[in-house]
Amino acid sequence: MPNYEYLDEFAGLPVVVAPDTDQRENFWWLVEERARVDKPDPTLDDYEEAYQTARADPGAFAWRLQLPAYGGEAIFRDLFLRFVDEVDTTKVTALIAGYWDFGESSAHEPVGLLVEHADRFPALRALFLGEMVQQECEISWIQQCDVAPLLAAFPRLEELWVRGGNGLEFPATRHEALRRLVVQTGGLPGVLASDLPALEHLELWFGVEGYGCTTEFDDLAPLFEGEVFPNLRSLGLCNAEWGDDLVRALADAPVMERVRALDLSSNALGPDGGEVLASAPVFRGLDSLTMDYHFVPEPVLERIRQALSGVALDLSEPEEYFVDENGEPAYYPGLTE
């Protein structure tokens, strides 16, 4: 799941942490988090050495700005201003705005700071707004805001990731350079109404109605019909309650004439959807199909493997369904809250 652990790499670059004013506390949080997911346990010296190494070559790293999740009195503005003061941000190409605060605080502050200091980041090409792991903040709790000012302030931005849907606004806008857009949330505010002529990769995570999903299946019609994003080649439709319906729609969707990489991870996708994947000719033209987390039984998976023998497949993490109160099999997305 996308919020179980931090990214080690972003926009093709290794991630380095910009420490806050109480940097030892922040580093301790990172050490504990990496240990929780069974990664090598770094020391405080490891983080401090990595920071100093990255300062010497800022463009070779993706920089994560985040506060410690527990304790501490640092505020995001202080962290940001210290980063701009200590690092040659004119060379920074990739930036992650991580945990900024819990509760009522929203992305207004990091967005406002980035817009205000946009001239300090002339080389910025990739931005992740809201990379928070589950132990910091559930996706449905993250307080987002209008991201249109970011796109306006960074007209050369090529990659934008957004996590969290509360308060998220993505009004219809035009951006000439954006090539990759990832929205890990339950809503679909304005994305499909935007004019993004360079967009090659679109990845949408939908979630469940009880935790903020505002997207209905019919909202995706312009995407299926191929009416938007003429350069789209890679499509991720993930973490939906209606996974089987997604596959049925894609089997006859004009957009699939140009999509070569399809990601259906974490959907409530069962044997019916699996049979469509195995039988519909359109999926045989893919270069890759990712179905990480699903409810497709092994016999159907084998039919998919045989039918899509020329496609690079990731059919990992098959799940067991449970039986509801009516005795019917029930499937659920991988990420709910």
Side-chain angles (χ1 to χ4, degrees):
M1 296 304 106
N3 69 330
Y4 281 14
E5 57 186 277
Y6 298 117
L7 293 177
D8 288 323
E9 182 179 289
F10 178 57
L13 300 173
V15 175
V16 66
V17 180
D20 64 39
T21 51
D22 189 4
Q23 63 178 260
R24 296 187 66 85
E25 183 173 15
N26 198 24
F27 285 159
W28 273 121
W29 161 252
L30 289 163
V31 169
E32 291 169 0
E33 175 59 23
R34 291 179 64 89
R36 187 188 65 81
V37 296
D38 297 324
K39 291 188 175 181
D41 186 10
T43 66
L44 298 179
D45 288 341
D46 291 333
Y47 278 113
E48 291 168 351
E49 181 179 353
Y51 174 60
Q52 297 304 329
T53 298
R55 285 184 63 191
D57 189 7
F61 297 85
W63 292 85
R64 179 187 290 121
L65 307 181
Q66 69 178 87
L67 299 180
Y70 300 110
E73 298 180 356
I75 60 175
F76 192 87
R77 183 176 184 84
D78 290 343
L79 168 61
F80 181 89
L81 294 178
R82 178 184 175 189
F83 171 66
V84 170
D85 182 58
E86 291 188 354
V87 176
D88 182 2
T89 57
T90 64
K91 298 179 180 178
V92 171
T93 62
L95 189 64
I96 299 171
Y99 186 79
W100 47 72
D101 198 1
F102 186 75
E104 297 300 321
S105 296
S106 75
H108 282 289
E109 183 164 58
V111 167
L113 287 166
L114 283 165
V115 171
E116 179 184 352
H117 295 84
D119 61 327
R120 302 290 296 272
F121 295 87
L124 190 66
R125 297 294 179 270
L127 175 64
F128 191 157
L129 182 66
E131 193 208 15
M132 302 182 197
V133 295
Q134 189 178 45
Q135 280 61 40
E136 293 171 316
C137 192
E138 298 282 3
I139 282 185
S140 63
W141 302 350
I142 299 173
Q143 303 294 316
Q144 280 289 352
C145 68
D146 185 351
V147 298
L150 281 176
L151 294 174
F154 296 97
R156 300 175 69 184
L157 195 69
E158 297 178 358
E159 184 167 353
L160 176 63
W161 291 39
V162 181
R163 179 176 295 170
N166 279 341
L168 177 64
E169 296 179 32
F170 200 115
T173 188
R174 179 176 175 85
H175 194 283
E176 298 281 353
L178 200 66
R179 297 174 57 192
R180 294 179 61 86
L181 176 61
V182 178
V183 183
Q184 297 172 340
T185 182
L188 197 67
V191 173
L192 297 186
S194 292
D195 186 6
L196 307 174
L199 195 69
E200 298 174 359
H201 173 84
L202 175 66
E203 183 178 322
L204 303 173
W205 288 67
F206 300 108
V208 299
E209 184 177 0
Y211 284 103
C213 178
T214 59
T215 305
E216 297 182 1
F217 181 76
D218 291 344
D219 295 336
L220 300 176
L223 177 63
F224 293 144
E225 293 301 319
E227 298 172 358
V228 293
F229 315 138
N231 280 310
L232 194 67
R233 299 294 181 269
S234 176
L235 178 61
L237 299 174
C238 306
N239 204 54
E241 295 181 283
W242 14 265
D244 289 346
D245 292 334
L246 275 177
V247 173
R248 294 188 191 99
L250 289 170
D252 298 313
V255 71
M256 291 301 294
E257 296 176 5
R258 57 180 185 265
V259 169
R260 291 295 172 262
L262 180 63
D263 188 347
L264 299 173
S265 294
S266 296
N267 286 308
L269 178 60
D272 291 347
E275 294 287 3
V276 175
L277 287 168
S279 60
V282 68
F283 299 113
R284 299 169 195 170
L286 292 170
D287 293 332
S288 65
L289 170 64
T290 302
M291 212 163 70
D292 183 355
Y293 179 103
H294 57 83
F295 295 86
V296 180
E298 180 55 36
V300 181
L301 290 177
E302 184 55 33
R303 286 195 281 279
I304 293 174
R305 295 186 189 101
Q306 293 178 5
L308 307 184
S309 58
V311 180
L313 298 174
D314 179 356
L315 308 178
S316 57
E317 294 195 46
E319 300 291 324
E320 295 291 332
Y321 65 84
F322 69 93
V323 178
D324 65 19
E325 62 273 13
N326 299 316
E328 298 293 329
Y331 311 112
Y332 44 90
L335 184 62
T336 53
E337 189 174 1

